[in-house]
């Protein structure tokens, strides 16, 4: 995990990564994440959901950046904060205020006030 201003300068390094790894580039934060190809939030979330005997349709996921796209898309309710990147917003089912405006808290509060389906 490191910060970098010029992603184009990293192109050779990224293409030379072993096949077991991948790079996630975030223009939003000038952030580069190099991780195992199978390591991502969606994979971890699916593991936990399955272990709990639940289904992804029962999950609310909230995010803003490249590492959240799959998780937002695959959750029952995917929420993008207002300052999310376009890729997150495009797969979200709901949009909330930015993280600076307590958007996550508003969604959680709203969900907790909803009646539990029988």
């Amino acid at each position: 995990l490191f910060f970098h201003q010029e992603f184009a300068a990293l192109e050779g390094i990224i293409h030379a990564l072993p096949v077991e790894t991948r790079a996630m580039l975030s223009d939003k934060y000038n952030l580069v994440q190099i991780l195992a190809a199978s390591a991502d939030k969606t994979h971890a979330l699916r593991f936990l959901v399955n272990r709990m005997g639940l289904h992804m349709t029962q999950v609310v996921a909230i995010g803003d950046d490249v590492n959240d796209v799959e998780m937002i898309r695959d959750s029952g309710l995917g929420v993008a904060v207002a300052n999310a990147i376009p890729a997150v917003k495009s797969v979200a089912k709901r949009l909330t205020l930015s993280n600076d405006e307590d958007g996550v808290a508003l969604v959680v509060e709203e969900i907790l006030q909803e009646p539990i389906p029988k």
Side-chain angles (χ1 to χ4, degrees), residues 4-5 10 14 24-25 35-36 48 50 58-59 62 68-69 80 83-84 86 90 103 109:
H4 203 284
Q5 297 289 329
L10 300 173
I14 291 170
M24 294 183 78
L25 309 175
L35 54 158
L48 291 172
N50 289 335
Q58 297 170 286
V59 172
I62 305 169
D68 298 319
V69 173
N83 58 324
S90 73
E109 185 177 75

Side-chain angles (χ1 to χ4, degrees), residues 20-72:
E20 300 86 19
T21 62
R22 66 184 173 129
M24 294 183 78
L25 309 175
S26 168
D27 288 331
K28 182 175 181 177
Y29 299 108
N30 295 322
L31 183 66
V32 178
Q33 300 175 64
I34 299 175
L35 54 158
S38 63
D40 63 45
K41 289 181 179 182
T42 308
H43 184 264
L45 185 57
R46 282 186 185 284
F47 174 83
L48 291 172
V49 168
N50 289 335
R51 188 173 186 139
M52 295 171 69
L54 300 172
H55 191 270
M56 287 295 287
T57 59
Q58 297 170 286
V59 172
V60 177
I62 305 169
D64 71 336
D65 204 9
V66 293
N67 60 341
D68 298 319
V69 173
E70 291 176 47
M71 178 182 69
I72 299 294

Side-chain angles (χ1 to χ4, degrees), residues 60-111:
V60 177
I62 305 169
D64 71 336
D65 204 9
V66 293
N67 60 341
D68 298 319
V69 173
E70 291 176 47
M71 178 182 69
I72 299 294
R73 183 194 63 221
D74 294 351
S75 295
L77 176 59
V79 181
V81 292
N83 58 324
I85 63 170
V88 172
K89 289 179 179 178
S90 73
V91 297
K93 294 179 181 80
R94 188 180 295 179
L95 185 65
T96 187
L97 297 176
S98 75
N99 56 320
D100 293 326
E101 300 170 294
D102 299 326
V104 173
L106 292 171
V107 170
V108 170
E109 185 177 75
E110 180 183 320
I111 290 167

